[in-house]
Each structure stands twice: as structure tokens, then as C-alpha cells.
């Protein structure tokens, strides 16, 4: 039976790329495996796939009980298909906090490491096989690292992310600053998206002090057009929250080049969260958080409602 | 702040030994760390500590919020102190099924592999440092592997468990069959234990089809005296279940040398579970399960109530 490899819902570059990378590795080492996505990949992920000549993986339409699967880039059942705990989870490879809720019937392989991208960890777990991977696989690993580290600007960046990206770029003849700029430009063109779509580009669910939050992050090299839409974005939040079973949407607009985030604070709850979590005074419709770039490392661990 | 390393409640040889082994490794590599236990170690574990001249680790009395901890040999919060999710969990190293429920605020190191003992995985993660570990640490690793594999008889045994145990035994000048026989003899002398104590030697909690089960296993080279006590053990089950918040105690007496288990079936629920899970016909007060030796691999994955 073919093992299906997939990452989280709202697939970004690391979730999409890591599924393809690991399915390649499993097939390369003799196990039938194919990548899947749980939704349309992000604009940046689509750019990366196109750049390296890799097809968009098929959408996971359903997950029959007992299907062998490998989960990459998440360990949170809320970010996975409903039937995930009835699948035959063979392995989980991730770099996020432990969420709880994922269960298996027998012992599995689970590897979580605090590196910046799941692809970094895949490279390490491949034990040398990455060296003879096709150019496209190497290109995907490099792209995932540049995406998740925001070209090494994010505080999640470790020495090992930096070293592996450097090796791959040299091997592939890629100029990192020029290539990363292309990737970020692809991600930053959001002019065609509605306010609700913008809130859902990269949104994850967390329950903090009993309040269900959708923590949306927009990473961009061109924040101005997004910040000009704050009123519209704030107006779209209640409906997005209701449709996604949350109490509040928290939107962080991350300015990749200036290395700062703007948190949108349209109501008392959002302002309270801003004050309790980041120790800032929030009075207007947004608040600037200098140095904040990483949801994983700088946002989720400090979130407080009370 | 000193990192505390501990395994599960009702500490057996692997839980006790792995805490000591990993605390040694962390200290050896420059991190302040100490082992703890969550209860009195099993008779086999106490024999092993005494044999290698290692002190019994202190009991974990309380766990203040934010204490840095490493959890070994479990990922199940029900087998850990109540405050575990308020501790600063730095790493989880285990070889059991994924249970769900353990949560962290930030990314951590988590490694689960389907090897027979946690100590096997620790040896691998030590990356060569095991080679210059003190004899006592090597002896503990060997003992954990022999304990969890039942001297390589359990189907959980992998080639890597066998290989590492062989290397260590040679290095230490230990005759495996003779040493394992001593360990199992220590474990098999249960004459001083009451029926309720016997049921709690090695008992873990699982919820199956909504029914809360305490799955108790007694591994022994001398099953006869235990099987002669079935009536008393069955009579002690309701109170043990009530005190431990379970609906039913399931007792498996594992005969290490004959490689079989006897499941005690004192009532209709236990008999139904025996039939649904193992496809046997259960009419009397116990049923023989040939070849069944491993709770992890042969019992928990097949348990059915309906």
C-alpha cells in the first residue's frame, strides 16, 4: 500500500516541499510513497515548485481508515484531516511545539527538533542520501529553509539551517539573496486576494486561557498595501473567526526586511492580548512589535489572554 | 537550573535506568541534570541498581512550574506527574505509541523510535559517548535492553537492540543468559506482595472504545504461584480499578520462558475483551494466549471492547 506523505492545511513552502522531499526519499530507499497536499499551496510554494520543475502534489481527497501516512511539518491534529487518528501513522517529522491529540495504536517514529524548517531535519534524517538527490529535491530543501528562516532573519534560524542552505546553494549554483528575493516577491503579491483570503493565507489555531485564537501571519517584503487595508481586514475578522470555529482572529503582518511585525488590534480582546502577551500599550487599531518575526518562537510561546 | 530526568510512574528497569543514563549523558556533555523516579522502582530495577552500584534516584516530590525536565520512556501524561504540562519540557525520548496530551509552549526535541528499550535509543542518541561511559552506565543500558526484550524473546526486539546489548556485554564481560536469569529471578519473586500490589507492579492506563482499562502485566519465569492466586487477584480487581479510576483491570501473566501469556477473565467484560481482541473463546477464569509477550506490540494495538 502506498504511503501518503503530507504536511498541514493551508500548505506553505515547507509543508508542501517537505512532503515531496520525504516521499522522494522513501521511494528512493525502496518504500512506495507519494506526496499529497491538504489545500492549494501558497503563492510562494507554487513559485518554488514551478522554479524547480516539480508538479503540484495531488490534493488529499479522503483518508480511508488504515492508510499508511507520514506527517511532516505539524503534529497538531487540528491542522490535519479529520480521520488522521484512524490512519496508520508511520512517522511524524516536525519542528513545532508539541500540541497533543495525535494518537497511534502502536509505536511509531517521531522526530521533532527545534530547527527552523522541517526540510532541514529531513536533510539530516536522510543520512547522506540528500547528496545524490535530484537537483529539484535539493532546490526544494534550500527553498524550505529560506522560506522558514526568512533568509536567516528569523530567530528560529540555527547554525544547521544556515550550513545546509549554504551547502545546497553552492552545489546548485544559486545566489541566495537573489533567489530569496524572488521567493519573497512571489509571496508578497497579495493584491488579488480578498480580506478574508488574506486572513487565511497562513493561519493556525491555538487555544490560550480557554480562548480559541486563529493566529494569522502574513510575511511580506511589501507591508504598505496590506497595512492600508487594516480597516477591511478587521471588518472581515468576525466572519472568518465564526467560519473557522474561533473566538478571535489575531493578524500579524511581518515585515521581512525591517524585521518587525504589526499586530492588528481592532477590539478590546485583541488589545488585551497585545498588552498581556507583548507588554506593549495598545490603544489604536494596530501595534508595532519590533523584532517579532516568528509565530513559533516569538508569538505562540508568549500568548496570554488573562 | 538543574534539569530533572524521569520516566513513568511504577518505574521499571527501563524507566529507572534510562533516567539515570540520560542524566549522566547531559551532565557529561555540560548540562546540569539529575535523575528522579516517580515511585519505588520495581524489584528487578532495584536488583539492577544494586548490581551496578548505582544509588536509587530520589523520588520526585513536587514539580514547580517551569522546572526544566526531560521525559524518558513515556509520552503519556497519565503516567507523569500532574503538573507536567506546566513544566519546561525540554525533550521527550521514548519508544511507545503516541498517546496525545503532552503539550509544550515552544518547539522541543522529541524522539520516538520503535526499538525495544528506551536505553537503546539513548545509546544511539549519545553519538559515541556511550563508548566512554562508566561501567555502571553501560551496565544499566544492557540491563534495560535485556529487561524490555525479555532477553530478546519479545517480538519488540530489533536488530539494533540485539547488537548494542551484544557489544556492551562483551565490553563488560557479562554472560547474557546468566545475568538475564538473575534479573528475571529478582522480578519473579512476588511471594511478599499482596494481590493488589501484584496488580500494580506494572500497570498502564488505556481508554478503549470509551472503557478505561488498567492493563497490568506480570512478567515472570515462575508463573505457577501467581496463577494459583487467580481467585484472589480477581477478587482484588474491583477495588484496584475503583482506586485507580478505571472500569476494569486486565491482568496478563507473561511466562518469559514458555513465551506465552495468561489473561485473567473473571467477568463478562474481561471475557468479551479477550474474545474481541485476541479471537479466542473465553469461558473460564483465564485464557492462554500463546506467543503473547509484549503489551506494547501484541496487546495494546489489538485491544477491543466492542
Amino acid at each position: 500500500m502506498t504511503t501518503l506523505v503530507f504536511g498541514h492545511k493551508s500548505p506553505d513552502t515547507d509543508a508542501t516541499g517537505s512532503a515531496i522531499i520525504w516521499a522522494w526519499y522513501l521511494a528512493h530507499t525502496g518504500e512506495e510513497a507519494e506526496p499529497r497536499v491538504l489545500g492549494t499551496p501558497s503563492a510562494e510554494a507554487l513559485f518554488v515548485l514551478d522554479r524547480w520543475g516539480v508538479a503540484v502534489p495531488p490534493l488529499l481527497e479522503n483518508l480511508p481508515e488504515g492508510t499508511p501516512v507520514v506527517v511532516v511539518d505539524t503534529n497538531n491534529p487540528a491542522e490535519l484531516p479529520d480521520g488522521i487518528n484512524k490512519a496508520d501513522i508511520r512517522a511524524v517529522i516536525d519542528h513545532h511545539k508539541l500540541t497533543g491529540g495525535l494518537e497511534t495504536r502502536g509505536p511509531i517514529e517521531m522526530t521533532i527538533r527545534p530547527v527552523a524548517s522541517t526540510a532541514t531535519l529531513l536533510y539530516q534524517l536522510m543520512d547522506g542520501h540528500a547528496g545524490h538527490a535530484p537537483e529539484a529535491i535539493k532546490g526544494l530543501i534550500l527553498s524550505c529553509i529560506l522560506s522558514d528562516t526568512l533568509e536567516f532573519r528569523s530567530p528560529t534560524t540555527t547554525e544547521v539551517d544556515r550550513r545546509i542552505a549554504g551547502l545546497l546553494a553552492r552545489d546548485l549554483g544559486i545566489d541566495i539573496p537573489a533567489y530569496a528575493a524572488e521567493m519573497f516577491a512571489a509571496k508578497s503579491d497579495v493584491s488579488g486576494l480578498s480580506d478574508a483570503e488574506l486572513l487565511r493565507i497562513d493561519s493556525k489555531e491555538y487555544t490560550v486561557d480557554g480562548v480559541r485564537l486563529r493566529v494569522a501571519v502574513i510575511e511580506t517584503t511589501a507591508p504598505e498595501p496590506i497595512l492600508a487595508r487594516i480597516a477591511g481586514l478587521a471588518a472581515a475578522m468576525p466572519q472568518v473567526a465564526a467560519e473557522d470555529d474561533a473566538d478571535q482572529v489575531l493578524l500579524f503582518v511581518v515585515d521581512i526586511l525591517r524585521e518587525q511585525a504589526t499586530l492588528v488590534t481592532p477590539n478590546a480582546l485583541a488589545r488585551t492580548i497585545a498588552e498581556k502577551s507583548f507588554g506593549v500599550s495598545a490603544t489604536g487599531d494596530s501595534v508595532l512589535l519590533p523584532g517579532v518575526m516568528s509565530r513559533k518562537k516569538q508569538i505562540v510561546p508568549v500568548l496570554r489572554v488573562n
Side-chain angles (χ1 to χ4, degrees), chain A residues 26-211:
Chain A
L26 290 179
H28 177 68
T29 51
E31 188 175 332
E32 249 180 78
E34 289 178 14
R36 291 288 184 273
V37 287
L38 304 188
T40 304
S42 68
E44 186 192 70
L46 291 173
F47 164 82
V48 164
L49 295 182
D50 183 60
R51 166 66 182 78
W52 295 98
V54 178
V56 179
L59 191 69
L60 183 81
E61 300 277 6
N62 52 46
L63 189 59
E65 201 171 324
T67 306
V69 305
V70 172
V71 173
V72 293
D73 199 32
T74 181
N75 69 81
N76 184 350
E79 298 173 12
L80 289 164
D82 283 341
I84 190 65
N85 279 337
K86 303 254 175 185
D88 175 12
I89 305 176
R90 298 286 179 87
V92 178
I93 309 171
D94 187 26
H95 64 132
H96 292 88
K97 83 189 196 79
L98 199 56
T99 300
L102 216 51
E103 293 176 30
T104 62
R105 290 192 77 86
I108 65 158
E109 301 211 354
M110 180 152 185
T111 309
I112 305 182
R113 293 281 179 279
V115 289
S117 84
T118 297
T120 302
L121 186 46
L122 300 184
Y123 180 99
Q124 294 181 301
L125 293 174
M126 279 185 200
D127 234 355
H129 284 286
H132 49 259
E135 285 220 336
I137 296 297
K138 293 180 181 173
L140 290 183
I141 300 174
L142 173 61
S143 306
C144 291
I145 298 175
L146 294 177
S147 173
D148 269 15
T149 61
L150 300 172
E151 198 192 350
F152 315 128
R153 290 179 182 89
S154 168
T156 58
T157 310
T158 67
E159 266 321 296
V160 61
D161 298 296
R162 210 182 276 274
R163 185 173 57 75
I164 293 171
L167 282 171
L168 291 168
R170 207 154 32 211
D171 186 0
L172 294 163
I174 289 285
D175 176 61
I176 285 182
Y179 178 57
E182 281 184 76
M183 283 176 53
F184 299 153
K187 160 159 51 194
S188 300
D189 179 11
V190 295
S191 55
L193 298 182
S194 70
D195 291 320
E197 286 168 335
L198 262 176
L199 294 176
R200 286 183 173 125
I201 285 184
D202 178 8
S203 148
K204 296 191 178 186
E205 192 181 302
Y206 302 90
T207 298
V208 177
D209 298 334
V211 179

Side-chain angles (χ1 to χ4, degrees), chain A residues 206-214 237-238 241 246-252 263-278 280 282-285 287 303-306:
Chain A
Y206 302 90
T207 298
V208 177
D209 298 334
V211 179
R212 296 164 308 165
L213 301 173
R214 296 287 325 182
M237 284 182 183
D247 298 309
Q248 175 71 42
V249 176
L250 283 185
L251 173 62
F252 295 81
L263 168 57
V264 178
T265 49
N267 58 32
L269 176 59
R271 284 191 283 270
T272 300
I273 294 172
E275 294 180 358
K276 299 281 183 193
S277 309
F278 300 99
V280 294
T283 50
D285 63 357
V287 55
L303 279 184
R304 296 280 184 288
V305 172
N306 300 319

